Amino acid sequence: MSTSLCRFRMRLQVHFLHIRLCGAFRSASQIAPSSIGDEIDPTRLVAVPEERFQELVTAEVAYLATVPVKAVSMRQIVTWRDARDMVSIIQREVPRRFALRIRLIETLDGWQEFVGTFKSIREEGKHTIALSASGIYKLRKRLNKFSQQETNFFDDWLDGFLLSRIGTNALIDQFVAIAAKEDGGLGRPTGITDPRCNASNICEFAAQISSYICYQRFGREPKYIVQDFQAGRVGPQDNSPCYFSLIPSYLRYIMCELLKNSFRATLLTSSEDDMSKRPVRIRVCRDVHTVAIIVSDEAGGIPFEVGDQIWSYMYGTAAKIGTKPEGFGNPENLTGYGVGLPCARLYARYLGGRLSLTSYPGYGTQAHLMLPRLDPNEVQ
């Protein structure tokens, strides 16, 4: 086991224990004073040898890793407005997710090759995507070629690992966001969610970010159009934005990944004169139950033989090039870490939706993002 992953696993164990112990002391504090006294008596605490303590931790992790992890839906997150309401679920669900990740690390044969570039992790999870991409490149360089079975295995493993990270971060971020400022939180009434998230504004903002990145890279920007459509009305609707409950940062991430790909392809296949004739079109469509966002370009498409490889972590830039991805350490760079599409699909899946892409070689591509629209009776 490499030193970096040992540290990562140990850090997960520390977080795991901290939350479990907080839960234990909280439970103890709720027992009637007549049973345990007004305070915990330090003379009644038992010293446990370190070796035995590690055995207990291992057993606890092994047990919790077998307990099914309950998915937390957007509908649940929207209902949490008081940090106190989340304490019990944080103490129950986050340790299970940490346990799952610890067990995944421990049971992956040959994982030390895959994560050889995992170096120092100053903050749990902060650089997971960047380090994963770097690890993919190292693994591909070392093994040179993968069988389809091996590729599928690593893709499934990373999907599970990163999806668990998304779920863990969503729980913790919501807890911190809704906690009162005097308690060290952000004091946001709805936390990381926005009950009136404007999908069109998010798309426009993501397009502006992606355009700026293109300008930094190529010295010019692509043209794009954002349009709103609504069930029951034909054609683009002016001044009719789509509102629904969502985590805006997750939608922004998905849209940035889609638009960076379309913008870059458009710039590479268009002359200055052609730019205005081939704008990237962003269409936000909705009915009372679903929001669909379509990103379409006319940049030549993706060859059919590439197929589903675009969703593989082994296919992206980080896995193919001989150096670090351009701008390594900056997640909003045009080429990014080369794992943007599979990660974007995970975020869509976490939000209860789906992300797909259709290519028309010689013409262009269309990305389709489908998201459930919560509270259809309240938000039009």
Side-chain angles (χ1 to χ4, degrees), residues 65-361:
T66 65
V67 177
V69 174
K70 183 179 180 181
V72 179
S73 67
M74 264 292 301
R75 190 176 298 277
Q76 288 176 289
I77 289 183
V78 167
T79 64
W80 287 324
R81 305 294 174 84
D82 189 327
R84 290 171 294 186
D85 295 338
M86 289 188 66
V87 170
S88 60
I89 194 167
I90 284 284
Q91 291 173 341
R92 182 177 70 250
E93 295 297 330
V94 171
R96 291 179 183 178
R97 286 166 166 80
F98 281 151
L100 175 61
R101 293 165 73 182
I102 291 170
R103 296 298 288 174
L104 278 171
I105 290 173
E106 292 175 344
T107 59
L108 179 60
D109 292 336
W111 64 266
Q112 63 273 21
E113 304 295 342
F114 173 66
V115 294
T117 58
F118 274 46
K119 299 179 180 178
S120 59
I121 303 176
R122 292 176 294 176
E123 185 176 343
E124 199 280 320
K126 185 176 181 181
H127 301 297
T128 299
I129 293 179
L131 289 171
S132 297
S134 182
I136 290 168
Y137 160 67
K138 290 284 188 179
L139 181 64
R140 192 176 185 94
K141 183 179 179 181
R142 183 180 182 87
L143 299 182
N144 191 28
K145 188 177 181 181
F146 290 99
S147 67
Q148 188 59 49
Q149 184 177 5
E150 290 171 324
T151 297
N152 293 340
F153 170 78
F154 283 114
D155 284 340
D156 290 342
W157 190 91
L158 273 167
D159 273 350
F161 189 82
L162 294 177
L163 191 59
S164 174
R165 170 183 177 267
I166 292 172
T168 301
N169 289 349
L171 283 171
I172 295 174
D173 290 347
Q174 179 70 357
F175 178 78
V176 173
I178 63 178
K181 290 184 178 180
E182 56 267 28
D183 295 330
L186 300 178
R188 297 175 181 171
T190 62
I192 61 175
T193 69
D194 183 353
R196 285 182 61 81
C197 175
N198 188 326
S200 303
N201 282 355
I202 295 293
C203 290
E204 178 67 36
F205 183 64
Q208 291 175 0
I209 292 175
S210 302
S211 292
Y212 178 70
I213 295 172
C214 286
Y215 181 78
Q216 287 183 313
R217 175 67 176 83
F218 297 105
R220 57 193 182 123
E221 302 176 3
K223 304 296 182 182
Y224 66 87
I225 300 173
V226 180
Q227 297 174 310
D228 285 294
F229 295 83
Q230 185 174 354
R233 300 177 182 178
V234 179
Q237 303 297 307
D238 295 330
N239 302 316
S240 180
C242 172
Y243 296 106
F244 68 134
S245 294
L246 200 71
I247 302 175
S249 60
Y250 289 8
L251 177 58
R252 185 167 57 249
Y253 175 86
I254 296 170
M255 294 308 302
C256 279
E257 291 303 325
L258 295 177
L259 291 171
K260 283 190 295 183
N261 286 340
S262 286
F263 285 1
R264 181 174 184 271
T266 298
L267 289 174
L268 291 176
T269 59
S270 302
S271 65
E272 198 65 40
D273 294 337
D274 291 337
M275 200 73 68
S276 60
K277 300 177 183 178
R278 296 195 293 165
V280 174
R281 298 184 182 276
I282 307 159
R283 299 178 176 92
V284 182
C285 313
R286 88 274 193 178
D287 60 14
V288 294
H289 300 293
T290 305
V291 174
I293 301 177
I294 305 170
V295 177
S296 57
D297 63 56
E298 298 178 31
I302 302 170
F304 284 137
E305 59 265 24
V306 172
D308 290 338
Q309 292 183 77
I310 59 172
W311 302 111
S312 173
Y313 299 91
M314 300 302 178
Y315 178 75
T317 305
K320 293 190 296 182
I321 63 178
T323 58
K324 290 181 180 179
E326 180 184 355
F328 187 79
N330 180 1
E332 289 188 341
N333 187 270
L334 190 59
T335 54
Y337 303 126
V339 295
L341 278 179
C343 285
R345 187 168 65 167
L346 287 183
Y347 275 100
R349 186 185 305 173
Y350 179 77
L351 294 173
R354 64 183 184 273
L355 176 63
S356 61
L357 188 145
T358 305
S359 175
Y360 305 93

